[in-house]
Amino acid sequence: MEIASGMNYAPKGKPKPVVKPGEFVFSALRLDHGHINGMCNGLIEAGATLKYVYDRDPAKVAAFLKAFPQARAAESEEQVLEDPETHMIAGAAVTSERCALGLRAIRAGKDYFTDKAPFTTLAQLQSAKELVEETGKKYMVYYSERLHVEGAVLAGYLIDEGLIGKVVQVMGVGPHRISLSSRPDWFFRKEQYGGILCDIGSHQIEQYLFYAGEEDGCVTSSRIANYGNPDHPELDDFGDCMITGANGTTNYFRVDWFTPDGLRNWGDGRTIILGTKGYIEIRKYIDIGREKALSNQVYLVNGDGEKRIDATGVTGYPFFGQLILDSLERTENAMTQAHAFKAAELCLMAQAQAVDLTPDLQGRK
Amino acid sequence: MEIASGMNYAPKGKPKPVVKPGEFVFSALRLDHGHINGMCNGLIEAGATLKYVYDRDPAKVAAFLKAFPQARAAESEEQVLEDPETHMIAGAAVTSERCALGLRAIRAGKDYFTDKAPFTTLAQLQSAKELVEETGKKYMVYYSERLHVEGAVLAGYLIDEGLIGKVVQVMGVGPHRISLSSRPDWFFRKEQYGGILCDIGSHQIEQYLFYAGEEDGCVTSSRIANYGNPDHPELDDFGDCMITGANGTTNYFRVDWFTPDGLRNWGDGRTIILGTKGYIEIRKYIDIGREKALSNQVYLVNGDGEKRIDATGVTGYPFFGQLILDSLERTENAMTQAHAFKAAELCLMAQAQAVDLTPDLQGRK
């Protein structure tokens, strides 16, 4: 089951094209993470035209072409990068290789849209910042746990409408099912996946900055551990982190790989947003213990009472259309470059500073 | 409505007497916090005999006698402390005065059962430790958010049965309704209430130590703020904290005074306990957004699936009977003295170390 691991999470929405066929062309490079499917779906539903796909692994290309028959298999990365029609490269490389791919794409004159996390080192981030500054191109990130979840999109609207007052805290839990047998080798090598706070923690930090309206912050404290997977010693199966925003709001999140097999989805991801006049809880992928396995359940509690809103089919995924228009018109409505980079920076800092609580490593930094 | 503020939370259960009438006699001193009602209820349902009550405020005594007509109003604290029949003093003084009352009670040869938080300073804790060491008497604490909540009691049993594997994290949120007009003056004076992490944070830390089976830990990071109550500058209306246990488990909790008026109870208290084989979520006082306002809803997710268990009427409150027997038999089944003191110590440390994020105080320690 694709949905069981979360690795191939690729929600489908109603097509809402913002451009006509051929007005915005993109190509896909590197299919190491299944998120590439969600990235391409999202862009296509927003009107983008998918042209090329390339990966060194022909099996991955074949599977991709089955999902996206309109794409053409290119013979090389160079062929794609040199294609004058392609505006944007969508890539889901091994995490540690995402930056290098992005730099090649941007140097070839393309905007870049990468799976998260976008970097595994601060040096990579710095090189991307410099090239973006120099070229004016975009290095955008698929922070899917907000951008591609209707409950998360709706929560943003509810906050904007002032329904919970001023946001003072964002708390998130991002448990994921580990599905050991379906994971590639690089998933277990820290140098390649970057550590849990860098990897799935990046979603959490991006959401915090967005919902709290923070442009900057610092990591107050962070922890990682391998509590239950001694056979995979470089896997962090647990991480958590406190961030304090420049404006004084707070964030806490926990991420882990402990989703039990009995859960009817890959993870019980939640976001709880506390405001001075109310709060919102997003039960993103499952509302546990209910007869139906519903996703996108948004709970709003404020002075008017308690409401449950089913956001499925309500908001769509405006990010993708905005991203296309941003790329064509050089605006920043989908996401600012500063925001994408700040979330990346904080997740790298969280990982770098984390105390490792793995049994028999206690006390080790 | 009593339940609206949480200040008078005093759940009633099925009487389960562990002693015969008159075998265990206790008296109540100091009625500053409404928790005294829950403390007395719990002991009486477990078979204890309530003898005297005394407070300097006759109105509080009159209200107490209405709830507990079997009690007799004493003429002074001395009369109660000198009563040879009284085994235990139950007290809910202003937080900063709880220790002094306890020292007087213990010096008079009684066990002491105080509302939480039991101390506001480490010096108080030290004096209580020394006197307990010297006398062998008990300084027990009404950590009601676990001891007097059936969902919380049930969760302990589920963990003991191994249903979620080894506990690796306990997360708690403890929002409370502020009900400004019903609060006494001391509630807004930090020296008297001790700060939010000391006050309502103490529940959270006690739960963490209990569910994770930790006997010690250290405060990794903590924060407080007054985000929304500038008219009460000494009130922390927000606090959060990370603790790392001596055995490497983790705790995070947030407490706040932002429960909106639309919630059908005084606070959406939750505890989420993550184990290596599953997790438990306790929705203690309300399961938001449902037709009925149910409390004690325990969600268990593990390899066998997702279950919702209504714990109301299931477990009762075994703490009180155990406490009576502990007092009579000098055992420690209800709670060890070390556990009660460790939770108190950590909440004092959390408060003392907290960074204050109150707007215009940012950066101040």
Side-chain angles (χ1 to χ4, degrees), chain B residues 36-52:
Chain B
I36 192 69
N37 296 294
M39 298 163 69
C40 292
N41 269 355
L43 287 170
I44 291 166
E45 286 172 1
T49 301
L50 173 59
K51 186 170 176 185
Y52 284 125

Side-chain angles (χ1 to χ4, degrees), chain B residues 351-356 361-365:
Chain B
Q351 186 72 38
Q353 294 179 24
V355 174
D356 191 337
L361 287 183
Q362 280 173 47
R364 205 172 102 174
K365 174 72 193 300

Side-chain angles (χ1 to χ4, degrees), chain A residues 166 168-169 171-173 175 218 220-223 225 227-228 238 240-254 256 258-265 267-268 270 272-279 281 283 286-290 293 299-308 357 359 362, chain B residues 166 168-169 171-173 175 218 220-223 225 227-228 238 240-254 256 258-265 267-268 270 272-279 281 283 286-290 293 299-308 357 359 362:
Chain A
K166 185 181 154 11
V168 299
Q169 195 200 34
M171 266 182 76
V173 286
C218 65
T220 307
S221 186
S222 60
R223 302 180 285 203
Y227 284 125
F238 175 92
D240 73 349
C241 176
M242 265 184 173
I243 294 173
T244 301
N247 294 327
T249 67
T250 64
N251 173 239
Y252 171 78
F253 68 86
R254 183 196 85 205
D256 68 77
F258 286 113
T259 293
D261 285 344
L263 192 81
R264 289 170 291 173
N265 207 328
D268 185 6
R270 313 246 195 124
I272 299 177
I273 306 158
L274 178 67
T276 50
K277 296 180 187 233
Y279 62 98
E281 178 179 358
R283 300 182 187 162
I286 182 89
D287 196 348
I288 54 170
R290 302 287 149 197
Y299 291 78
L300 169 67
V301 184
N302 61 15
D304 294 332
E306 304 163 21
K307 289 190 191 73
R308 177 170 63 94
L357 299 175
Q362 279 172 47
Chain B
K166 184 182 153 15
V168 299
Q169 195 200 34
M171 266 181 76
V173 287
C218 63
T220 307
S221 186
S222 60
R223 301 181 284 203
Y227 284 126
F238 175 94
D240 71 352
C241 176
M242 266 183 170
I243 293 173
T244 301
N247 295 327
T249 67
T250 63
N251 172 238
Y252 172 77
F253 69 84
R254 182 195 87 206
D256 68 77
F258 286 114
T259 293
D261 285 343
L263 192 82
R264 288 170 292 172
N265 207 329
D268 185 5
R270 312 246 196 126
I272 299 177
I273 306 158
L274 178 68
T276 51
K277 296 181 186 228
Y279 61 98
E281 178 179 358
R283 299 183 187 162
I286 181 90
D287 196 350
I288 53 169
R290 303 286 147 197
Y299 291 78
L300 169 67
V301 184
N302 62 16
D304 295 331
E306 305 163 22
K307 288 189 193 73
R308 176 169 63 93
L357 299 174
Q362 280 173 47

Side-chain angles (χ1 to χ4, degrees), chain A residues 125-307:
Chain A
L125 169 61
Q126 188 55 31
S127 66
K129 276 186 175 173
E130 287 169 9
L131 191 62
V132 161
E133 174 77 18
E134 182 192 320
T135 60
K137 294 294 171 191
K138 292 180 183 293
Y139 192 116
M140 286 286 114
V141 184
Y142 181 60
Y143 291 114
S144 54
E145 294 189 19
R146 182 176 63 85
L147 306 173
H148 227 164
V149 174
E150 289 188 290
V153 175
L154 182 68
Y157 296 159
L158 300 179
I159 294 166
D160 284 348
E161 285 173 36
L163 292 173
I164 61 167
K166 185 181 154 11
V167 171
V168 299
Q169 195 200 34
V170 179
M171 266 182 76
V173 286
H176 285 59
R177 177 166 292 141
I178 194 158
S179 303
L180 283 173
S181 60
S182 73
R183 299 286 176 183
D185 288 351
W186 63 267
F187 180 86
F188 301 105
R189 291 192 202 110
K190 197 167 278 193
E191 196 185 334
Q192 290 185 286
Y193 81 92
I196 193 170
L197 295 172
C198 169
D199 177 15
I200 53 180
S202 63
H203 290 293
Q204 298 289 331
I205 295 173
E206 192 278 331
Q207 289 171 87
Y208 160 58
L209 295 174
F210 179 78
Y211 291 128
E214 290 280 8
E215 294 180 358
D216 202 357
C218 65
V219 175
T220 307
S221 186
S222 60
R223 302 180 285 203
I224 54 173
N226 180 321
Y227 284 125
N229 290 276
D231 294 347
H232 298 285
E234 292 192 31
L235 177 74
D236 304 329
D237 57 25
F238 175 92
D240 73 349
C241 176
M242 265 184 173
I243 294 173
T244 301
N247 294 327
T249 67
T250 64
N251 173 239
Y252 171 78
F253 68 86
R254 183 196 85 205
V255 285
D256 68 77
W257 290 101
F258 286 113
T259 293
D261 285 344
L263 192 81
R264 289 170 291 173
N265 207 328
W266 57 266
D268 185 6
R270 313 246 195 124
T271 307
I272 299 177
I273 306 158
L274 178 67
T276 50
K277 296 180 187 233
Y279 62 98
I280 291 167
E281 178 179 358
I282 318 168
R283 300 182 187 162
K284 292 187 173 180
Y285 315 114
I286 182 89
D287 196 348
I288 54 170
R290 302 287 149 197
E291 197 181 343
K292 289 187 185 170
L294 298 174
S295 51
N296 292 304
Q297 302 298 295
V298 180
Y299 291 78
L300 169 67
V301 184
N302 61 15
D304 294 332
E306 304 163 21
K307 289 190 191 73

Side-chain angles (χ1 to χ4, degrees), chain A residues 56-75:
Chain A
R56 284 166 298 191
D57 179 355
K60 288 201 178 75
V61 172
F64 185 88
L65 288 171
K66 216 166 162 183
F68 300 100
Q70 69 270 54
R72 274 175 273 170
E75 284 171 18

